[in-house]
C-alpha cells in the first residue's frame, strides 16, 4: 500500500540534525561566557626591553616586591611593594650584557634572597647577594659557554645547598654546584636536543630528588625533555615529549586535581599551548593541545575563578593581550577565553600576591618588552581599592 511521504518542517529537521550530531560524536557546544576576574590596576616603567618578571620579598618587610630583567639596557629593575598592589619607583641594578633570566634563592645562607642572572650577551651567570634593606652586592661571575637563555635554582646533589642549572643556546645544559657561601663549582654538562629555550626543576617522580625539564624549540626537536635526577648533581635518561611548534617555556600545575604534577608548555608558533598530565612517576600522558591568541610567549597556571580547577594565563606578543583560559578539570579548557589588552609586546608573566604566601586571590604581573613596562592586574576579589589608570 502506497503511503504519502511525510514532509518535515524546519523545526523537525533541526531536532533530527541535533540527534544525528550527538550520535556522530559532535555534541552541540554549550554557550560559555567567561568570567572577568582581573582588572588593570597600575603600570610602571622599568628598563629597556624587559624579558622576565619574578616576585620576592627583598627588603624583608612582609610585602611582595618585583624584579625585572631588562635585556635592552643591561639592568635589573627592583620595585618594592606597598602591600596594596602598588609599587615604589623602580631601583636599577646594573648587570652584565643582556640579562635574559634569573633564579632567586638564598645562596650564601644568610636568610636573605640572592639573585643569579643568566646574561646571554656576555656568556655569564652573575651573582648578586642580598643585603639589609633590599640592597645587593655583586658576587662572582661564572663563564658558561655559550648564550645562557634560562636558569633555575634547586638542590640537585642533596647537600641542602641551592645549585644552578643553566640552559645554553648551543644545545647544552650546564650545572653549577653551590658551595653554600654564595659561590659555585662547575658540575656536569650535557649536550642534547635542539635549541633549548627554557628549563625548570621539580621532583616529578616523588623520590626526593630534583628532576629537570627542558623545552627544545629547534625544528629538529619541538619537544619538552624530562631528565631524571640522580640526586648527586647529575641527570639521566632523557625522554622527549612532543609539543607543538617551537616550545618556549614549561611550568607546573595540577590540571585534573589528582595531586600529580602536570606540565604546561607554551608554543611560540601556531598559537597554541600543550598540557601534559602526569602519571606521578616522572612520566606523562600524550599532550593535549589548546589554542591561544596570536603569538603566545609565556604562561602560568592558577585557579583564577575560584572553582578549584587550574586555569591558564598566557601573554601573547603579537596580539598584545593577556588571555585567561578557564580549565574544565581534565587538562582542557572552555572557550572563548577572557582577554585583556596590555602594553606593546607582552613577554612574560608571574603570579602576584600582595604579601608572600598570602591566601587572597592571585593577581598577575606582566612585563611588556616593547613598552618597557610592568603592568599589575589585580583580582576583582583581592581588595576594594578602585582601579588606577595606567601611567
Amino acid at each position: 500500500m502506497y503511503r504519502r511521504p511525510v514532509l518535515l518542517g524546519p523545526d523537525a529537521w533541526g531536532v533530527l540534525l541535533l540527534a544525528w550530531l550527538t550520535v556522530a560524536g559532535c555534541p552541540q557546544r554549550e554557550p560559555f561566557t567567561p568570567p572577568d576576574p582581573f582588572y588593570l590596576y597600575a603600570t610602571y616603567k622599568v628598563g629597556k626591553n624587559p624579558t622576565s618578571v619574578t616576585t620576592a620579598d627583598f627588603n624583608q618587610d612582609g610585602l611582595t616586591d618585583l624584579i625585572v630583567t631588562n635585556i635592552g639596557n643591561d639592568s635589573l629593575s627592583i620595585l618594592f611593594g606597598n602591600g596594596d598592589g602598588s609599587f615604589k619607583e623602580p631601583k636599577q641594578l646594573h648587570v652584565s650584557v643582556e640579562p635574559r633570566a634569573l633564579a632567586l634563592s638564598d645562596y650564601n645562607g644568610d636568610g636573605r634572597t640572592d639573585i643569579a642572572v643568566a646574561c646571554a650577551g656576555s656568556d655569564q651567570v652573575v651573582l648578586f647577594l642580598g643585603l639589609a634593606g633590599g640592597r645587593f652586592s655583586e658576587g662572582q661571575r661564572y663563564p658558561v659557554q655559550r648564550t645562557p637563555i634560562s636558569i633555575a635554582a634547586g638542590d640537585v646533589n642533596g647537600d641542602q645547598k641551592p645549585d644552578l642549572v643553566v640552559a645554553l643556546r648551543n644545545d647544552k645544559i650546564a650545572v653549577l654546584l653551590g658551595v653554600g657561601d654564595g659561590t659555585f663549582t662547575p658540575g656536569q654538562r650535557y649536550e642534547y636536543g635542539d635549541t633549548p629555550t627554557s628549563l625548570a626543576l621539580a621532583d616529578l617522580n616523588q623520590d626526593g630528588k630534583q628532576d629537570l625539564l627542558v623545552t627544545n624549540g629547534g625544528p629538529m626537536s619541538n619537544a619538552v625533555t624530562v631528565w631524571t635526577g640522580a640526586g648527586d648533581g647529575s641527570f639521566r635518561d632523557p625522554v622527549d615529549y612532543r609539543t607543538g611548534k617551537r616550545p618556549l617555556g614549561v611550568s607546573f600545575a595540577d590540571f585534573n586535581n589528582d595531586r600529580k604534577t602536570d606540565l604546561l608548555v607554551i608554543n611560540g608558533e601556531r598559537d597554541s599551548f600543550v598540557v601534559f598530565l602526569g602519571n606521578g612517576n616522572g612520566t606523562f600522558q600524550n599532550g593535549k593541545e589548546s589554542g591561544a591568541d596570536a603569538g603566545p610567549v609565556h604562561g602560568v597556571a592558577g585557579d583564577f575563578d575560584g572553582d578549584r580547577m587550574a586555569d591558564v594565563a598566557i601573554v601573547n606578543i603579537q596580539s598584545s593581550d593577556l588571555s585567561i583560559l578557564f580549565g574544565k578539570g581534565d587538562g582542557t579548557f572552555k572557550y572563548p577565553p577572557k582577554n585583556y589588552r596590555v602594553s606593546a609586546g607582552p613577554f612574560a608573566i608571574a603570579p602576584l600576591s600582595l604579601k608572600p604566601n598570602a591566601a587572597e586571590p592571585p593577581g598577575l604581573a606582566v612585563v611588556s618588552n616593547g613598552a618597557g613596562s610592568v603592568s599589575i592586574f589585580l583580582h576583582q576579589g583581592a581588595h576594594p581599592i578602585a582601579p588606577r589608570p595606567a601611567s
Side-chain angles (χ1 to χ4, degrees):
M1 182 178 64
Y2 173 78
R3 294 183 183 272
R4 178 179 297 178
V6 177
L7 301 179
L8 297 178
D11 292 341
W13 278 115
V15 171
L16 288 177
L17 178 61
L18 177 59
W20 180 84
L21 288 173
T22 301
V23 171
C26 301
Q28 186 182 39
R29 296 184 63 181
E30 296 181 3
F32 173 66
T33 301
D36 183 14
F38 295 105
Y39 63 93
L40 176 62
Y41 182 71
T43 297
Y44 299 91
K45 297 296 289 185
V46 289
K48 185 177 181 182
N49 303 125
T51 56
S52 73
V53 57
T54 310
T55 64
D57 180 7
F58 293 113
N59 56 358
Q60 297 182 316
D61 63 353
L63 305 175
T64 299
D65 309 316
L66 297 177
I67 184 167
V68 176
T69 55
N70 305 300
I71 200 170
N73 65 343
D74 305 333
S75 71
L76 306 178
S77 295
I78 301 175
L79 297 85
F80 294 109
N82 296 317
D84 61 353
S86 68
F87 293 83
K88 296 178 174 63
E89 289 299 312
K91 304 290 186 181
Q92 298 295 323
L93 186 64
H94 181 75
V95 296
S96 190
V97 183
E98 295 183 6
R100 178 64 179 82
L102 52 79
L104 303 179
S105 190
D106 180 6
Y107 298 115
N108 61 356
D110 67 353
R112 298 189 178 97
T113 300
D114 308 314
I115 309 168
V117 189
C119 296
S122 61
D123 298 335
Q124 292 178 327
V125 171
V126 180
L127 269 292
F128 288 89
L129 303 178
L131 304 173
R135 297 175 297 114
F136 293 89
S137 65
E138 185 172 342
Q140 298 288 329
R141 298 185 176 210
Y142 297 90
V144 285
Q145 296 295 329
R146 71 180 170 82
T147 317
I149 197 71
S150 183
I151 187 169
D155 179 12
V156 301
N157 63 351
D159 64 356
Q160 309 303 311
K161 300 167 186 175
D163 309 305
L164 294 171
V165 185
V166 188
L168 308 176
R169 190 45 68 86
N170 61 344
D171 304 341
K172 292 183 176 63
I173 303 296
V175 178
L176 298 173
L177 298 176
V179 177
D181 60 358
T183 64
F184 294 81
T185 60
Q188 298 283 344
R189 182 174 288 243
Y190 301 92
E191 183 170 1
Y192 184 85
D194 181 15
T195 315
T197 54
S198 75
L199 54 73
L201 290 168
D203 180 6
L204 299 176
N205 56 2
Q206 302 177 18
D207 65 352
K209 302 169 186 177
Q210 292 288 294
D211 306 309
L212 174 65
L213 294 101
V214 183
T215 52
N216 291 284
M220 300 300 292
S221 182
N222 287 318
V224 58
T225 304
V226 178
W227 296 73
T228 301
D232 60 358
S234 66
F235 299 92
R236 60 177 185 266
D237 306 327
V239 177
D240 288 344
Y241 292 85
R242 298 288 294 179
T243 65
K245 297 284 287 185
R246 195 168 165 257
L248 296 177
V250 58
S251 56
F252 308 107
D254 181 3
F255 288 104
N256 56 350
N257 291 326
D258 64 354
R259 299 185 180 181
K260 299 173 184 176
T261 300
D262 307 321
L263 305 182
L264 169 66
V265 176
I266 306 299
N267 298 317
E269 293 183 10
R270 299 185 180 175
D271 304 337
S272 73
F273 65 97
V274 182
V275 167
F276 294 88
L277 297 180
N279 297 317
N281 60 357
T283 66
F284 296 87
Q285 301 172 30
N286 291 335
K288 299 180 179 182
E289 191 167 10
S290 300
D293 213 337
V297 289
H298 196 221
V300 295
D303 180 9
F304 302 128
D305 59 355
D307 64 356
R308 299 185 180 181
M309 293 185 287
D311 310 311
V312 170
I314 297 176
V315 286
N316 307 287
I317 194 168
Q318 294 179 18
S319 50
S320 288
D321 62 5
L322 162 65
S323 296
I324 310 296
L325 296 103
F326 298 96
K328 295 180 179 180
D330 60 357
T332 65
F333 299 86
K334 304 171 187 176
Y335 283 87
K338 178 64 180 180
N339 292 328
Y340 300 89
R341 295 293 298 175
V342 295
S343 301
F347 204 81
I349 185 172
L352 173 67
S353 294
L354 303 184
K355 297 180 181 180
N357 303 315
E360 86 271 359
L364 298 168
V366 176
V367 291
S368 293
N369 186 272
S373 65
V374 57
S375 295
I376 307 302
F377 286 83
L378 292 185
H379 199 281
Q380 300 280 9
H383 57 69
I385 298 176
R388 297 179 181 178
S391 59

